[in-house]
Amino acid sequence: AKAGVDTQMIVGAVDDNDWQHLQTTEWLYGKLGLKRVYYSGFEPVPKTPLERQAACPPSREYRLYQSSFLIRDYGFSLDSFAQVVDDEGFLPNVDPKLAFAKMNPDLFPIDLNTAAYREILRIPQIGPITARKIMEARKNVKIRYVGNLERIIGVNLARRASQYVDLKD
């Protein structure tokens, strides 16, 4: 379809875990070319077979959305999440990109002057628009200091991302 195909998954209605949803999400994007995967947290309905099933916490649904965007827009693979999920296959209730960065300190800091677009996207707080701004700006200026980065992406964002970037104070 020209506009693309979407799908929706119900989260927490059965004995599922986040790892299973992430596997399916990667497959749907990679193999079927879906444009978007939506998640809906299960909510029990009285007088139905699952009325006693617990509701899915909204935070679980939110973390799956974040992870889905990392797969679709940031180039993360299923392997990127393997160490982030717990032993039961659930994501922690923290930003999955930040959890990945903290579990992979060997990948940081990143030199913004030489890094590929996908490497810049791995930096917590940096999204596609900001990564493109950095790529464009570095054509004209070396990004060596926090001040350089602040002028490109703003003070607050630069300070939050700076611990993952190779800069001088």
Side-chain angles (χ1 to χ4, degrees):
K2 220 177 199 182
V5 177
D6 300 340
T7 194
Q8 182 173 3
M9 290 191 244
I10 305 300
V11 179
V14 294
D15 193 21
D16 58 358
N17 65 35
D18 298 339
W19 181 251
Q20 292 166 318
H21 287 288
L22 293 173
Q23 287 175 307
T24 303
T25 298
E26 184 181 63
W27 183 78
L28 290 167
Y29 286 139
K31 299 291 185 197
L32 296 184
L34 265 65
K35 295 293 183 191
R36 180 84 185 263
V37 176
Y38 291 90
Y39 305 92
S40 290
F42 172 76
E43 294 184 26
V45 176
K47 298 181 184 170
T48 65
L50 297 176
E51 70 182 343
R52 289 196 166 88
Q53 177 74 15
C56 176
S59 59
R60 182 175 177 203
E61 181 183 331
Y62 181 66
R63 298 305 174 200
L64 283 167
Y65 268 114
Q66 288 178 306
S67 299
S68 174
F69 297 142
L70 292 176
I71 293 168
R72 187 189 71 184
D73 302 331
Y74 292 68
F76 278 63
S77 68
L78 190 60
D79 292 339
S80 304
F81 297 97
Q83 66 194 89
V84 176
V85 296
D86 65 20
D87 292 340
E88 281 133 30
F90 290 97
L91 292 163
N93 191 18
V94 296
D95 178 345
K97 189 176 180 185
L98 182 60
F100 174 83
K102 288 184 178 202
M103 292 179 170
N104 292 281
D106 55 307
L107 298 178
F108 301 94
I110 291 177
D111 182 348
L112 295 176
N113 296 297
T114 60
Y117 175 73
R118 292 282 186 205
E119 291 175 294
I120 295 171
L121 283 177
R122 294 217 179 253
I123 301 168
Q125 305 295 323
I126 303 293
I129 292 170
T130 304
R132 284 192 288 278
K133 277 185 185 178
I134 291 167
M135 299 284 290
E136 189 61 33
R138 75 184 190 186
K139 292 176 184 175
N140 302 315
V141 64
K142 285 280 188 197
I143 307 169
R144 293 187 180 133
Y145 301 97
V146 174
N148 298 133
L149 188 58
E150 288 174 352
R151 282 188 285 287
I152 298 166
I153 64 173
V155 173
N156 290 332
L157 187 53
R159 294 218 171 119
R160 289 192 307 256
S162 66
Q163 66 181 310
Y164 299 101
V165 178
D166 187 15
L167 296 172
K168 296 170 179 67
D169 289 329

